[in-house]
Amino acid sequence: MVRGRVIALSVTDVRFPTSSDQHGSDAMHTDPDYSAAYVVIETDATDGLKGYGLTFTLGKGTEVVVCAVKALAVHIVDREFEEIVGDFRRFYRQLTSDGQLRWIGPEKGVVHLATAAILNAVWDLWAKQEGKDPQKLLSCIDFRYITDALTEEEAYDMLKHGKLGQKEREEQMLKNGYPAYTTSCAWLGYSDQQLKELCVKALKDGWTRFKVKVGADLPDDIRRCKLVREMIGPDNLLMLDANQRWDVQEAIDWVSKLAEFKPLWIEEPTSPDDILGHATISKALAPLGIGIATGEQCHNRVMFKQFLQAKALHYLQIDSCRLGSVNENLSVLLMAKKFQIPVCPHAGGVGLCELVQHLILFDYISVSASLENRMCEYVDHLHEHFKYPVTIKKAAYMPPQDAGYSTEMKEESVRQHRFPDGGIWQKLISGQNV
Amino acid sequence: MVRGRVIALSVTDVRFPTSSDQHGSDAMHTDPDYSAAYVVIETDATDGLKGYGLTFTLGKGTEVVVCAVKALAVHIVDREFEEIVGDFRRFYRQLTSDGQLRWIGPEKGVVHLATAAILNAVWDLWAKQEGKDPQKLLSCIDFRYITDALTEEEAYDMLKHGKLGQKEREEQMLKNGYPAYTTSCAWLGYSDQQLKELCVKALKDGWTRFKVKVGADLPDDIRRCKLVREMIGPDNLLMLDANQRWDVQEAIDWVSKLAEFKPLWIEEPTSPDDILGHATISKALAPLGIGIATGEQCHNRVMFKQFLQAKALHYLQIDSCRLGSVNENLSVLLMAKKFQIPVCPHAGGVGLCELVQHLILFDYISVSASLENRMCEYVDHLHEHFKYPVTIKKAAYMPPQDAGYSTEMKEESVRQHRFPDGGIWQKLISGQNV
């Protein structure tokens, strides 16, 4: 049962100094410190339950997202939780369409990341308070601006249809988990030696799908792709990720030169905003058998709608922290189903794996009912800081067993990594000053 | 001559309590307090010149933009000004592509508004230090992600071609000014009586082009459009602005019912991100002779590129504070020229008229060389707070006579409106507490 009045929202700037080892490095983000704006909401209910949420960031700028969370907090603090989730669509729109705040978005960039952090915490708490009725899920979606692609009635029919075989798919997931691919082997800043060792280890652990970062230097890319393809053999899957490095024609030319390594997809070949550009690249690369993947920086459902309408992608990569939480991701899962495009979520970062596993399991069990061409990203970093970390078995995400959205971080981790006053940062900062 | 090292950047949250009188109200922004993140840069040069810049906001959230300006300030403070403007394209990309900060954009929302505020200040100072060589302008543009629509070579040819007749156009502007339209008569929150009175006054002052806010309620819109059309007569121009209120089909249906009032355009019929949606609406309304205008919330050059490629707009509305200052606006002016679409800038707000007059005069004199279907928005508010306010004569912008970007605010205005500690706000806040 939904209960309590929200009495407090706290937000913390948590940063991990990952740039020192080049974890997470790619052609555009050369020195990321994986970070999060971490939100905790409390109610006055006697159950002691709290809601934990976060949005992922790369270090600098986390303080800006924290500032935005504080600006949005007026919409949630001092309200009955029942009032929030009881008419979740209305609440979603209050957050995203505040008459003054929407100007600095709308529904994009910093304010939308802040919206995601808050809503992720709401979902975490709600899920702990009660099980979800899939029917009720529809009432969480803001269909504004997408009714030309998906109406509420169509969405209802899809979810109803999705009930067929649901029990079998649940059992299948509990037994085998959801297929994953790894990005941990081939960050751009890793040496060839490091790359080889990581491939050997990953193969031993049962991984069959591998992603390689490209886009900084063509001869380098050729050498690294060759190396990885040799390591993993002809039957395992290879994906490429350029992190928005190229212009449209440049992307076509560059990727054509990597075609011999048989990549399944090229991810983020150009600006995440360039729907028509992606469509052009898609057309040009189709004869080479290379698909287009994008979405981790696709900023809202209106953009995803157009990517689908324009046939600009073959693999849709939702992000649990850039879109407006479960609410907006649901609308994207349903649109992907309608356009028959597989969803292959973006994960890694801080907590993204923990969050997105819920979405992709729901997608399989209740929406897509298919594993064809589908897999979820996995990166082997920073899970130790979470109270309910993901469980990976034989390169698959095993369904989480605890109630909630798996977002709670360990208190000690937050204390140590709080920026700039946590122990880790105090040490680093004083080290720099020496 | 370019001179000095940047030694300080200050940023102030300045807000005007405009919501109390419904100035600026529209279907989506019902209670805006026109505001700005106001930036001042200082150098160690002995000339005492400062650079003033701002980005426009609607009240709440200005503190988030202020926070983002502070995050970006590391890229400008303590650098030689020559190093900044001497390779302005490089500096632009440093601001917009910081490996950590770009994640919370990229090039959109809060960080891009902050980028605009800083760059507007850089242009203000640069323009005071020396006259601009139009050729050099090209080196300010980041062509990343737009080369499939406009190459640097094409841009060069356009600017070269734009030199023909330049002197005559300059003289013409000095004499007659640049044609403007007024939005001051018909904000959504105004009563019919107020609307009538304002129309009478505007007609007396020589205005011939009028914009009406619509989108909240159809019978209301019909009544208000009828009233304004009667007031201004059949020969003056009427434009409609829905501020993103509708879904795609809804926009088509609603605007069709206003066709009898012969509007020139419908502005922002749906989400500012929905390029394909605008294209659909555009096709549907073409038989009714109604064009599509949009751009004030179009967040970067990549989006404008696609609006042009998809034939999704007929009137392109640049914004001096949402795009990355002169640098990015130049690329959009040039793309508009190539696609033969007239530019009709968004203005009003705080300081937008002061800033955008420079851009539209440059567009006419050096790029478009045409006034056909062109006009610049004007709103009669808050100019008294600027040291070099715009001059309007017979419904036209008269070219500014002072060096710089006309962005400097009066010290007393800033002091009084600084949020939350300025005199005006202290009074309002204590009043609320009574």
Side-chain angles (χ1 to χ4, degrees), chain B residues 1-12:
Chain B
M1 219 205 77
V2 177
R3 57 194 173 268
R5 173 182 275 282
V6 178
I7 51 167
L9 180 153
S10 72
V11 53
T12 311

Side-chain angles (χ1 to χ4, degrees), chain A residues 143-251:
Chain A
F143 285 88
R144 175 173 266 177
Y145 301 143
I146 58 170
T147 54
D148 53 325
L150 180 77
T151 64
E152 188 165 353
E153 294 67 37
E154 287 174 301
Y156 177 83
D157 289 343
M158 276 181 200
L159 284 180
K160 213 172 122 189
H161 186 79
K163 285 197 173 293
L164 291 170
Q166 206 168 78
K167 189 137 188 57
E168 291 75 12
R169 290 194 292 277
E170 260 181 51
E171 278 162 16
Q172 181 197 359
M173 286 295 109
L174 285 167
K175 200 174 144 213
N176 304 323
Y178 194 91
Y181 72 87
T182 177
T183 307
S184 292
C185 296
W187 294 107
L188 202 69
Y190 284 2
S191 70
D192 287 7
Q193 186 55 33
Q194 201 171 359
L195 206 147
K196 268 195 215 172
E197 286 166 15
L198 288 167
C199 278
V200 169
K201 185 176 178 313
L203 286 162
K204 223 175 102 187
D205 291 346
W207 292 94
T208 59
R209 309 171 188 91
F210 299 81
K211 194 160 83 183
V212 175
K213 295 284 179 179
V214 297
D217 180 80
L218 183 57
D220 255 19
D221 287 352
I222 292 173
R223 198 189 70 251
R224 289 156 44 85
C225 286
K226 191 164 181 287
L227 199 154
V228 174
R229 181 47 89 193
E230 279 171 9
M231 295 296 297
I232 68 175
D235 296 332
N236 284 320
L237 290 181
L238 173 69
M239 286 81 70
L240 306 181
D241 187 357
N243 291 87
Q244 314 168 21
R245 185 55 190 260
W246 305 307
D247 283 20
V248 174
Q249 189 55 48
E250 195 182 7

Side-chain angles (χ1 to χ4, degrees), chain A residues 29 31 60 98 100 102-103 106 108 145 147 244 247 273-276 297 300 305-306 322, chain B residues 29 31 60 98 100 102-103 106 108 145 147 244 247 273-276 297 299-300 305-306 322:
Chain A
H29 312 92
D31 60 345
K60 271 187 281 174
D98 178 299
Q100 296 192 350
R102 81 184 293 284
W103 188 265
K108 61 174 67 76
Y145 301 143
T147 54
Q244 314 168 21
D247 283 20
D273 296 338
D274 199 351
I275 299 149
L276 301 179
Q297 292 200 18
N300 60 32
K305 176 187 78 169
Q306 295 174 84
R322 191 169 292 273
Chain B
H29 312 92
D31 59 345
K60 272 187 279 174
D98 178 299
Q100 297 193 348
R102 81 184 294 283
W103 188 265
K108 61 174 66 77
Y145 301 142
T147 54
Q244 314 167 22
D247 283 18
D273 296 338
D274 199 350
I275 299 149
L276 302 178
Q297 292 200 18
H299 58 260
N300 61 30
K305 176 186 78 169
Q306 295 174 84
R322 191 169 292 274

Side-chain angles (χ1 to χ4, degrees), chain B residues 81-263:
Chain B
F81 200 56
E82 168 64 38
E83 196 189 319
I84 291 168
V85 298
D87 192 350
F88 209 157
R89 184 181 295 168
R90 191 166 140 262
F91 179 69
Y92 185 88
R93 198 174 280 186
Q94 280 171 348
L95 276 193
T96 55
S97 297
D98 178 299
Q100 297 193 348
L101 266 173
R102 81 184 294 283
W103 188 265
I104 63 171
E107 298 187 66
K108 61 174 66 77
V110 169
V111 276
H112 214 48
L113 291 166
T115 298
I118 291 174
L119 290 177
N120 282 340
V122 169
W123 278 92
D124 182 56
L125 179 57
W126 192 19
K128 287 171 182 167
Q129 286 191 353
E130 61 168 10
K132 291 291 92 32
D133 171 13
Q135 239 57 336
K136 209 177 170 179
L137 289 175
L138 272 192
S139 73
C140 303
I141 299 175
D142 188 350
F143 284 89
R144 174 173 266 176
Y145 301 142
I146 59 170
T147 54
D148 54 325
L150 180 77
T151 64
E152 188 165 353
E153 295 68 36
E154 286 175 300
Y156 177 82
D157 289 343
M158 276 183 202
L159 285 179
K160 213 171 121 187
H161 185 78
K163 286 196 172 293
L164 290 171
Q166 207 168 79
K167 188 135 187 61
E168 291 75 13
R169 291 194 291 278
E170 261 180 51
E171 280 162 16
Q172 181 197 358
M173 285 295 108
L174 285 167
K175 200 175 144 210
N176 303 324
Y178 194 92
Y181 73 85
T182 178
T183 308
S184 293
C185 297
W187 293 107
L188 202 67
Y190 284 2
S191 69
D192 288 5
Q193 186 54 33
Q194 200 171 358
L195 205 147
K196 268 193 214 173
E197 287 166 13
L198 288 166
C199 278
V200 169
K201 183 173 179 318
L203 286 162
K204 223 175 104 188
D205 291 345
W207 292 93
T208 58
R209 309 172 189 89
F210 299 80
K211 195 160 82 183
V212 175
K213 296 284 179 178
V214 297
D217 180 80
L218 183 57
D220 254 18
D221 287 352
I222 291 173
R223 198 190 69 249
R224 288 155 46 83
C225 287
K226 190 164 182 289
L227 198 153
V228 174
R229 180 47 90 192
E230 280 171 7
M231 296 295 298
I232 68 174
D235 296 331
N236 284 319
L237 291 180
L238 172 69
M239 286 82 69
L240 306 181
D241 186 357
N243 291 87
Q244 314 167 22
R245 184 57 189 259
W246 304 309
D247 283 18
V248 174
Q249 188 56 47
E250 196 182 7
I252 296 167
D253 296 343
W254 195 303
V255 178
S256 298
K257 289 181 184 122
L258 302 174
E260 59 175 306
F261 307 111
K262 305 281 173 211

